[in-house]
Amino acid sequence: MKHSRRSTWRIFPPPNRTLDKGHGRIEIRRVRTSTALNAYLDWPHVGQVFRVERHVTDLLGKNPRDEVAFGIMDLGPDEVDAARVNELVRGHWGIETRLHYVRDWTYDEDRSQVRTKQGPRVMATLRNTAIGLLRYLKLPNISRAVKHLDHHPEQIAALVIG
């Protein structure tokens, strides 16, 4: 059976297309979904696959960049359409920003010297717990709060105990 790479995506509903302007750039996203590969994938509970195409430029339309990403999800087309898949993929970056960015920049996790046995997992759990507590307390700036608590460790117990 001979067919082009694009033919699998053509037989399904049209892509969801969005245009966003912000953070110094313009981003056009097209999300396509397909169940055509479900029978071929050795993946438990596959519902559909998706393709996200991003075309990004600066606000002047210069410095273009194109990206394509693929994904597999357990939700089928009867549960989510391409528009909802787009929202879910974008929401994933909220997690990246809210947790991993804080861990990378506030705690400088990437340069950690803890690398053996359960140490890295324990430290990640402690960092996540601290970030979760500070978010629960609705502190507006995690980095500033951590720096403050570094200089006033006696206040940590008061935060934890309540």
Side-chain angles (χ1 to χ4, degrees):
M1 182 166 126
K2 190 173 181 180
H3 63 280
S4 72
R5 282 192 290 181
R6 299 177 69 97
S7 66
T8 303
W9 301 99
R10 275 194 204 139
I11 62 174
F12 293 95
N16 171 258
R17 185 178 182 278
T18 59
L19 186 139
D20 293 309
K21 182 178 173 183
H23 304 287
R25 62 183 178 260
I26 299 169
E27 180 181 56
I28 299 170
R29 297 167 62 91
R30 288 192 325 167
V31 176
R32 298 172 186 241
T33 60
S34 173
T35 58
L37 299 176
N38 289 13
Y40 300 100
L41 293 173
D42 186 21
W43 194 275
H45 313 292
V46 64
Q48 61 185 324
V49 296
F50 60 89
R51 173 185 169 129
V52 180
E53 300 170 29
R54 298 179 196 95
H55 178 75
V56 183
T57 64
D58 61 21
L59 292 176
L60 300 174
K62 297 181 180 179
N63 302 313
R65 181 177 82 237
D66 291 307
E67 302 170 356
V68 177
F70 295 90
I72 300 172
M73 62 183 352
D74 61 350
L75 300 171
D78 54 328
E79 298 171 274
V80 293
D81 61 2
R84 180 67 180 135
V85 171
N86 193 7
E87 291 173 11
L88 292 170
V89 170
R90 289 187 67 99
H92 170 77
W93 287 107
I95 294 169
E96 178 71 25
T97 301
R98 289 184 52 83
L99 180 61
H100 299 293
Y101 181 84
V102 172
R103 282 173 43 182
D104 289 345
W105 287 97
T106 302
Y107 291 105
D108 203 12
E109 187 175 60
D110 290 341
R111 292 193 320 175
S112 174
Q113 296 295 307
V114 180
R115 292 194 176 95
T116 59
K117 298 185 182 180
Q118 296 299 316
R121 182 175 291 174
V122 169
M123 291 306 297
T125 300
L126 290 172
R127 291 180 189 111
N128 289 345
T129 302
I131 292 166
L133 175 63
L134 296 172
R135 289 208 191 282
Y136 175 77
L137 295 171
K138 294 183 171 56
L139 296 175
N141 188 317
I142 301 288
S143 181
R144 190 175 302 145
V146 168
K147 287 176 186 171
H148 173 80
L149 292 171
D150 280 348
H151 292 51
H152 303 284
E154 70 282 357
Q155 294 178 5
I156 295 172
L159 290 174
V160 174
I161 294 170

